[in-house]
């Protein structure tokens, strides 16, 4: 019985996270469509934004859905084509897991 309750809890949590991710994706699509002059630009900008979401997810997964280091998040989001574009300095800052995707999107937009 406890196993069945745990399974139900995990499925409900997964459903919640997937719904949140899909909501975020829809927001990105709407935002990108509103600012894109053509389909080619739309596709490129949207793909880069989704890649940032994937990177945030990968980092959170590796951290087992705990807080992540802000400098690591920034380093992972800087495109390989732009080494040295961004430097990180100062004390370590932890970003709570529930805020990592939003932080990743802000960082992406600033890059």
């Amino acid at each position: 019985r406890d196993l069945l309750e745990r399974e139900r809890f995990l499925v409900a949590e997964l459903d919640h996270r997937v719904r949140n991710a899909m909501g975020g994706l829809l927001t990105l699509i709407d935002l990108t469509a509103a600012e894109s002059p053509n389909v080619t630009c739309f596709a490129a900008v949207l793909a880069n934004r989704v890649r940032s979401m994937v990177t945030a997810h990968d980092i959170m997964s590796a951290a087992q859905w705990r807080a992540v280091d802000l400098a690591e998040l920034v380093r992972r989001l800087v495109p390989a084509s732009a080494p040295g574009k961004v430097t990180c300095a100062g004390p370590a800052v932890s970003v709570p897991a529930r805020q990592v995707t939003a932080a990743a999107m802000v960082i992406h937009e600033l890059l």
Side-chain angles (χ1 to χ4, degrees), residues 92-109:
V93 175
S94 292
V95 180
R98 69 182 172 278
Q99 297 172 348
V100 170
T101 300
M105 298 314 302
V106 168
I107 293 163
H108 169 81
E109 295 301 317

Side-chain angles (χ1 to χ4, degrees), residues 4-15:
L4 184 58
E5 287 178 23
R6 180 168 167 76
E7 183 179 316
R8 285 184 185 146
F9 171 79
L10 292 174
V11 168
E13 181 64 21
L14 179 61
D15 284 343

Side-chain angles (χ1 to χ4, degrees), residues 7-92:
E7 183 179 316
R8 285 184 185 146
F9 171 79
L10 292 174
V11 168
E13 181 64 21
L14 179 61
D15 284 343
H16 174 74
R17 288 181 188 219
V18 169
R19 248 189 329 274
N20 283 346
M22 294 300 111
L25 184 57
L26 288 171
T27 299
L28 286 181
I29 291 169
D30 290 343
L31 174 68
T32 307
E35 63 187 23
S36 296
N38 57 55
V39 172
T40 302
C41 183
F42 170 81
V45 171
L46 181 62
N48 286 331
R49 286 176 171 163
V50 171
R51 280 187 196 96
S52 292
M53 288 179 69
V54 170
T55 298
H57 180 273
D58 289 347
I59 292 170
M60 286 187 295
S61 180
Q64 298 180 339
W65 301 94
R66 294 188 185 106
V68 301
D69 181 62
L70 179 60
E72 175 65 16
L73 182 61
V74 169
R75 281 191 290 274
R76 294 276 304 271
L77 289 168
V78 173
S81 61
K85 182 177 181 180
V86 176
T87 58
C88 296

